[in-house]
Amino acid sequence: MSAFDQLFKAASAARENAHAPYSSFHVGAAVLTRDGAIHAGCNVENAAYPEGWCAETTALGAMVASGGREVVEVVVVAGGERLCTPCGGCRQRLAEFAGPETSVHIAGPEGLRRSFTLGELLPAGFDLDPDGNAAAGEA
Ligand code: THU
């Protein structure tokens, strides 16, 4: 099975568990790390609306909690007719662990719709070097 197929399967399974009673928009995401591990997540909404978070954030949190740090491929799965590209905050969170060439595949329940690189989604994202100096990076 290709990396995309495995990520799509993991993201779709996580999407089944989405907690989205307010938007009814169920999202699943999965990230592949350099060492071959896959971590998936779903969106988790809250009655206090701004306290909810996205599927990509859940997937990254699961990755970090199990020791993963380097994302090499991403899949997001959602329904509806439009492309479910990651929100601005999630693009920045992805950029913490992925490079500008990292593929971010946007899928519907039926399969792949369109692929982007993270650099396309987040040009000149915020970056901070170990000395605490900000720099506008490629992604
Ligand atoms: N959402 C995600 O989980 N990922 C995205 O890429 C875009 C939006 C969620 C947030 C909220 O629970 C619902 O979709 C509607 O915005």
Side-chain angles (χ1 to χ4, degrees):
M1 212 191 280
S2 70
F4 172 81
D5 287 341
Q6 291 180 55
L7 287 163
F8 178 73
K9 194 175 167 194
S12 298
R15 181 171 175 256
E16 295 289 319
N17 295 322
H19 177 70
Y22 307 105
S23 73
S24 295
F25 192 69
H26 296 201
V27 186
V31 298
L32 174 68
T33 57
R34 175 79 58 200
D35 61 5
I38 287 177
H39 305 277
C42 57
N43 51 333
V44 183
E45 297 185 348
N46 192 277
Y49 295 171
E51 302 304 330
W53 65 86
C54 295
E56 296 89 328
T57 296
T58 306
L60 288 173
M63 177 194 80
V64 172
S66 65
R69 288 293 184 276
E70 202 181 344
V71 172
V72 297
E73 203 163 339
V74 181
V75 169
V76 181
V77 183
E81 292 185 3
R82 298 182 178 186
L83 289 177
C84 183
T85 47
C87 76
C90 285
R91 295 177 195 204
Q92 183 71 40
R93 290 187 193 96
L94 287 166
E96 184 74 19
F97 302 105
E101 303 307 324
T102 302
S103 291
V104 180
H105 305 290
I106 310 302
E110 76 287 355
L112 179 65
R113 291 183 175 179
R114 184 166 163 186
S115 298
F116 298 85
T117 64
L118 184 57
E120 287 179 291
L121 295 175
L122 186 69
F126 182 70
D127 195 11
L128 202 60
D129 72 20
D131 298 324
N133 299 304
E138 291 292 310

